[in-house]
Amino acid sequence: MQSYTIGQAARLLGVSPDTARRWADAGRVATHRDESGRRLIDGRALAAFSIEVGQGAGSEDAEVYTSARNAFPGIVTAVKLGDVAAQVEIQAGPHRLVSLLTREAVEELGLEVGMRATARVKSTNVHIDRA
């Protein structure tokens, strides 16, 4: 499973590294250390925490999350596979995006909960790019 540094997690959550570090210090999200001593957050734990943060979005102290050219970099929080179709949810800062795409596309991209991905929005379509 992929792990993220505090800085990477902060970018995915749409907050400053200091905020992400404070959340980790307060025990809101679990961290572990790699061989070089860097603090890392497990991808699945970050996915679950990003949902929690997204649901609390809109508070006065929340940072504004903007997108450039309708791209929403975030973390995959759910993948539901059917026989032919699939549903992928991404939490991008305070934004929850859901894309309906083919099962084949999800498998080709190797999408799974906890990995980075970018949702691209055009009109009513949401396209997923693997990070």
PDB file of all heavy atoms in Angstrom, residues 4 24 30-31 47-49 58 62 72 82-83 87 90 92 96 106-107 116 121 125 130:
ATOM      1  N   TYR A   4       2.115   8.218   2.290  1.00  0.00           N
ATOM      2  CA  TYR A   4       2.316   9.617   1.911  1.00  0.00           C
ATOM      3  C   TYR A   4       3.043  10.366   3.011  1.00  0.00           C
ATOM      4  O   TYR A   4       2.804  10.134   4.197  1.00  0.00           O
ATOM      5  CB  TYR A   4       0.964  10.292   1.661  1.00  0.00           C
ATOM      6  CG  TYR A   4       0.191   9.646   0.544  1.00  0.00           C
ATOM      7  CD1 TYR A   4      -0.706   8.619   0.794  1.00  0.00           C
ATOM      8  CD2 TYR A   4       0.381  10.041  -0.769  1.00  0.00           C
ATOM      9  CE1 TYR A   4      -1.394   8.005  -0.241  1.00  0.00           C
ATOM     10  CE2 TYR A   4      -0.309   9.444  -1.804  1.00  0.00           C
ATOM     11  CZ  TYR A   4      -1.193   8.426  -1.535  1.00  0.00           C
ATOM     12  OH  TYR A   4      -1.865   7.828  -2.563  1.00  0.00           O
ATOM     13  N   ALA A  24      -1.796  15.177  12.750  1.00  0.00           N
ATOM     14  CA  ALA A  24      -1.086  13.935  13.057  1.00  0.00           C
ATOM     15  C   ALA A  24      -0.631  13.932  14.519  1.00  0.00           C
ATOM     16  O   ALA A  24      -0.787  12.927  15.217  1.00  0.00           O
ATOM     17  CB  ALA A  24       0.096  13.754  12.113  1.00  0.00           C
ATOM     18  N   ALA A  30      -3.189   8.483  11.910  1.00  0.00           N
ATOM     19  CA  ALA A  30      -2.013   7.736  12.376  1.00  0.00           C
ATOM     20  C   ALA A  30      -0.853   7.889  11.395  1.00  0.00           C
ATOM     21  O   ALA A  30      -1.049   7.938  10.183  1.00  0.00           O
ATOM     22  CB  ALA A  30      -2.360   6.264  12.533  1.00  0.00           C
ATOM     23  N   THR A  31       0.354   7.968  11.941  1.00  0.00           N
ATOM     24  CA  THR A  31       1.565   8.038  11.127  1.00  0.00           C
ATOM     25  C   THR A  31       2.521   6.933  11.563  1.00  0.00           C
ATOM     26  O   THR A  31       2.380   6.359  12.639  1.00  0.00           O
ATOM     27  CB  THR A  31       2.270   9.404  11.273  1.00  0.00           C
ATOM     28  OG1 THR A  31       2.689   9.570  12.627  1.00  0.00           O
ATOM     29  CG2 THR A  31       1.372  10.554  10.866  1.00  0.00           C
ATOM     30  N   ALA A  47      -7.137   8.082   3.095  1.00  0.00           N
ATOM     31  CA  ALA A  47      -8.415   8.102   2.365  1.00  0.00           C
ATOM     32  C   ALA A  47      -9.580   8.268   3.338  1.00  0.00           C
ATOM     33  O   ALA A  47     -10.474   9.096   3.125  1.00  0.00           O
ATOM     34  CB  ALA A  47      -8.578   6.834   1.538  1.00  0.00           C
ATOM     35  N   ALA A  48      -9.567   7.492   4.421  1.00  0.00           N
ATOM     36  CA  ALA A  48     -10.639   7.593   5.417  1.00  0.00           C
ATOM     37  C   ALA A  48     -10.640   8.966   6.078  1.00  0.00           C
ATOM     38  O   ALA A  48     -11.699   9.585   6.269  1.00  0.00           O
ATOM     39  CB  ALA A  48     -10.478   6.492   6.464  1.00  0.00           C
ATOM     40  N   PHE A  49      -9.455   9.464   6.412  1.00  0.00           N
ATOM     41  CA  PHE A  49      -9.359  10.778   7.058  1.00  0.00           C
ATOM     42  C   PHE A  49      -9.800  11.888   6.108  1.00  0.00           C
ATOM     43  O   PHE A  49     -10.433  12.852   6.529  1.00  0.00           O
ATOM     44  CB  PHE A  49      -7.926  11.017   7.545  1.00  0.00           C
ATOM     45  CG  PHE A  49      -7.761  12.307   8.290  1.00  0.00           C
ATOM     46  CD1 PHE A  49      -8.387  12.517   9.498  1.00  0.00           C
ATOM     47  CD2 PHE A  49      -6.981  13.327   7.769  1.00  0.00           C
ATOM     48  CE1 PHE A  49      -8.248  13.711  10.193  1.00  0.00           C
ATOM     49  CE2 PHE A  49      -6.825  14.522   8.449  1.00  0.00           C
ATOM     50  CZ  PHE A  49      -7.458  14.712   9.666  1.00  0.00           C
ATOM     51  N   GLY A  58     -16.034  23.746   4.986  1.00  0.00           N
ATOM     52  CA  GLY A  58     -16.961  24.849   5.065  1.00  0.00           C
ATOM     53  C   GLY A  58     -16.855  25.591   6.381  1.00  0.00           C
ATOM     54  O   GLY A  58     -17.507  26.591   6.574  1.00  0.00           O
ATOM     55  N   ALA A  62     -11.290  26.759   7.458  1.00  0.00           N
ATOM     56  CA  ALA A  62     -10.851  25.885   6.363  1.00  0.00           C
ATOM     57  C   ALA A  62     -10.225  26.713   5.248  1.00  0.00           C
ATOM     58  O   ALA A  62     -10.711  27.785   4.906  1.00  0.00           O
ATOM     59  CB  ALA A  62     -12.034  25.089   5.815  1.00  0.00           C
ATOM     60  N   PHE A  72      -8.846  18.208 -10.252  1.00  0.00           N
ATOM     61  CA  PHE A  72      -8.972  18.051  -8.816  1.00  0.00           C
ATOM     62  C   PHE A  72      -8.068  16.910  -8.349  1.00  0.00           C
ATOM     63  O   PHE A  72      -8.491  15.753  -8.296  1.00  0.00           O
ATOM     64  CB  PHE A  72     -10.428  17.743  -8.438  1.00  0.00           C
ATOM     65  CG  PHE A  72     -11.380  18.867  -8.696  1.00  0.00           C
ATOM     66  CD1 PHE A  72     -11.918  19.059  -9.955  1.00  0.00           C
ATOM     67  CD2 PHE A  72     -11.738  19.735  -7.682  1.00  0.00           C
ATOM     68  CE1 PHE A  72     -12.804  20.089 -10.200  1.00  0.00           C
ATOM     69  CE2 PHE A  72     -12.619  20.772  -7.919  1.00  0.00           C
ATOM     70  CZ  PHE A  72     -13.153  20.959  -9.181  1.00  0.00           C
ATOM     71  N   GLY A  82     -18.629  -3.214 -10.869  1.00  0.00           N
ATOM     72  CA  GLY A  82     -19.722  -4.052 -11.342  1.00  0.00           C
ATOM     73  C   GLY A  82     -19.184  -4.965 -12.425  1.00  0.00           C
ATOM     74  O   GLY A  82     -17.976  -5.043 -12.655  1.00  0.00           O
ATOM     75  N   ASP A  83     -20.075  -5.662 -13.111  1.00  0.00           N
ATOM     76  CA  ASP A  83     -19.640  -6.552 -14.187  1.00  0.00           C
ATOM     77  C   ASP A  83     -19.004  -5.773 -15.325  1.00  0.00           C
ATOM     78  O   ASP A  83     -17.999  -6.186 -15.889  1.00  0.00           O
ATOM     79  CB  ASP A  83     -20.818  -7.363 -14.725  1.00  0.00           C
ATOM     80  CG  ASP A  83     -21.318  -8.387 -13.712  1.00  0.00           C
ATOM     81  OD1 ASP A  83     -20.529  -8.767 -12.817  1.00  0.00           O
ATOM     82  OD2 ASP A  83     -22.488  -8.786 -13.813  1.00  0.00           O
ATOM     83  N   GLN A  87     -17.641   2.595 -10.242  1.00  0.00           N
ATOM     84  CA  GLN A  87     -17.799   3.912  -9.638  1.00  0.00           C
ATOM     85  C   GLN A  87     -16.559   4.185  -8.797  1.00  0.00           C
ATOM     86  O   GLN A  87     -16.151   3.343  -7.993  1.00  0.00           O
ATOM     87  CB  GLN A  87     -19.047   3.936  -8.754  1.00  0.00           C
ATOM     88  CG  GLN A  87     -19.268   5.243  -8.039  1.00  0.00           C
ATOM     89  CD  GLN A  87     -20.546   5.213  -7.207  1.00  0.00           C
ATOM     90  OE1 GLN A  87     -21.578   4.740  -7.679  1.00  0.00           O
ATOM     91  NE2 GLN A  87     -20.462   5.687  -5.985  1.00  0.00           N
ATOM     92  N   ILE A  90     -13.341  10.207  -5.328  1.00  0.00           N
ATOM     93  CA  ILE A  90     -12.091  10.887  -4.979  1.00  0.00           C
ATOM     94  C   ILE A  90     -12.421  12.024  -4.023  1.00  0.00           C
ATOM     95  O   ILE A  90     -13.374  12.777  -4.245  1.00  0.00           O
ATOM     96  CB  ILE A  90     -11.392  11.452  -6.232  1.00  0.00           C
ATOM     97  CG1 ILE A  90     -10.895  10.299  -7.102  1.00  0.00           C
ATOM     98  CG2 ILE A  90     -10.236  12.388  -5.864  1.00  0.00           C
ATOM     99  CD1 ILE A  90     -10.206  10.745  -8.363  1.00  0.00           C
ATOM    100  N   ALA A  92     -10.886  15.398  -2.883  1.00  0.00           N
ATOM    101  CA  ALA A  92      -9.885  16.386  -3.280  1.00  0.00           C
ATOM    102  C   ALA A  92     -10.060  17.603  -2.384  1.00  0.00           C
ATOM    103  O   ALA A  92     -10.899  18.461  -2.660  1.00  0.00           O
ATOM    104  CB  ALA A  92     -10.054  16.756  -4.751  1.00  0.00           C
ATOM    105  N   ARG A  96     -15.726  16.187  -2.847  1.00  0.00           N
ATOM    106  CA  ARG A  96     -15.925  14.760  -3.119  1.00  0.00           C
ATOM    107  C   ARG A  96     -16.427  14.645  -4.544  1.00  0.00           C
ATOM    108  O   ARG A  96     -17.454  15.206  -4.899  1.00  0.00           O
ATOM    109  CB  ARG A  96     -16.951  14.180  -2.151  1.00  0.00           C
ATOM    110  CG  ARG A  96     -17.273  12.725  -2.408  1.00  0.00           C
ATOM    111  CD  ARG A  96     -18.309  12.217  -1.384  1.00  0.00           C
ATOM    112  NE  ARG A  96     -18.859  10.971  -1.848  1.00  0.00           N
ATOM    113  CZ  ARG A  96     -20.011  10.836  -2.480  1.00  0.00           C
ATOM    114  NH1 ARG A  96     -20.755  11.898  -2.742  1.00  0.00           N
ATOM    115  NH2 ARG A  96     -20.440   9.652  -2.875  1.00  0.00           N
ATOM    116  N   VAL A 106     -10.934   1.191 -14.879  1.00  0.00           N
ATOM    117  CA  VAL A 106     -10.461   1.151 -13.489  1.00  0.00           C
ATOM    118  C   VAL A 106      -9.326   0.142 -13.356  1.00  0.00           C
ATOM    119  O   VAL A 106      -8.306   0.407 -12.715  1.00  0.00           O
ATOM    120  CB  VAL A 106     -11.621   0.812 -12.528  1.00  0.00           C
ATOM    121  CG1 VAL A 106     -11.106   0.536 -11.120  1.00  0.00           C
ATOM    122  CG2 VAL A 106     -12.630   1.943 -12.504  1.00  0.00           C
ATOM    123  N   GLU A 107      -9.487  -1.028 -13.973  1.00  0.00           N
ATOM    124  CA  GLU A 107      -8.456  -2.057 -13.891  1.00  0.00           C
ATOM    125  C   GLU A 107      -7.189  -1.640 -14.622  1.00  0.00           C
ATOM    126  O   GLU A 107      -6.081  -1.875 -14.132  1.00  0.00           O
ATOM    127  CB  GLU A 107      -9.008  -3.382 -14.426  1.00  0.00           C
ATOM    128  CG  GLU A 107     -10.062  -3.970 -13.504  1.00  0.00           C
ATOM    129  CD  GLU A 107     -10.793  -5.174 -14.094  1.00  0.00           C
ATOM    130  OE1 GLU A 107     -10.662  -5.448 -15.310  1.00  0.00           O
ATOM    131  OE2 GLU A 107     -11.508  -5.838 -13.322  1.00  0.00           O
ATOM    132  N   ARG A 116      -3.224   8.145  -5.055  1.00  0.00           N
ATOM    133  CA  ARG A 116      -3.458   9.468  -5.614  1.00  0.00           C
ATOM    134  C   ARG A 116      -4.069   9.340  -6.993  1.00  0.00           C
ATOM    135  O   ARG A 116      -3.728   8.443  -7.756  1.00  0.00           O
ATOM    136  CB  ARG A 116      -2.163  10.257  -5.718  1.00  0.00           C
ATOM    137  CG  ARG A 116      -1.643  10.718  -4.390  1.00  0.00           C
ATOM    138  CD  ARG A 116      -0.422  11.562  -4.559  1.00  0.00           C
ATOM    139  NE  ARG A 116       0.637  10.738  -5.173  1.00  0.00           N
ATOM    140  CZ  ARG A 116       1.798  11.209  -5.563  1.00  0.00           C
ATOM    141  NH1 ARG A 116       2.076  12.468  -5.441  1.00  0.00           N
ATOM    142  NH2 ARG A 116       2.700  10.406  -6.085  1.00  0.00           N
ATOM    143  N   VAL A 121     -12.843  17.480 -14.694  1.00  0.00           N
ATOM    144  CA  VAL A 121     -14.265  17.715 -14.913  1.00  0.00           C
ATOM    145  C   VAL A 121     -14.474  18.553 -16.161  1.00  0.00           C
ATOM    146  O   VAL A 121     -13.862  19.599 -16.334  1.00  0.00           O
ATOM    147  CB  VAL A 121     -14.889  18.435 -13.698  1.00  0.00           C
ATOM    148  CG1 VAL A 121     -16.361  18.686 -13.915  1.00  0.00           C
ATOM    149  CG2 VAL A 121     -14.647  17.627 -12.434  1.00  0.00           C
ATOM    150  N   ASN A 125     -19.122  15.261 -17.246  1.00  0.00           N
ATOM    151  CA  ASN A 125     -18.235  14.097 -17.208  1.00  0.00           C
ATOM    152  C   ASN A 125     -17.079  14.320 -16.253  1.00  0.00           C
ATOM    153  O   ASN A 125     -16.490  15.391 -16.223  1.00  0.00           O
ATOM    154  CB  ASN A 125     -17.659  13.817 -18.604  1.00  0.00           C
ATOM    155  CG  ASN A 125     -18.736  13.456 -19.591  1.00  0.00           C
ATOM    156  OD1 ASN A 125     -19.611  12.667 -19.281  1.00  0.00           O
ATOM    157  ND2 ASN A 125     -18.682  14.044 -20.769  1.00  0.00           N
ATOM    158  N   ARG A 130      -4.522   8.696 -13.408  1.00  0.00           N
ATOM    159  CA  ARG A 130      -3.709   8.112 -12.358  1.00  0.00           C
ATOM    160  C   ARG A 130      -2.518   9.038 -12.116  1.00  0.00           C
ATOM    161  O   ARG A 130      -1.895   9.509 -13.053  1.00  0.00           O
ATOM    162  CB  ARG A 130      -3.228   6.736 -12.756  1.00  0.00           C
ATOM    163  CG  ARG A 130      -2.408   6.099 -11.668  1.00  0.00           C
ATOM    164  CD  ARG A 130      -2.045   4.706 -12.001  1.00  0.00           C
ATOM    165  NE  ARG A 130      -1.105   4.251 -10.996  1.00  0.00           N
ATOM    166  CZ  ARG A 130      -0.643   3.043 -10.946  1.00  0.00           C
ATOM    167  NH1 ARG A 130      -1.032   2.159 -11.846  1.00  0.00           N
ATOM    168  NH2 ARG A 130       0.205   2.694 -10.020  1.00  0.00           N
TER     169      ARG A 130
END
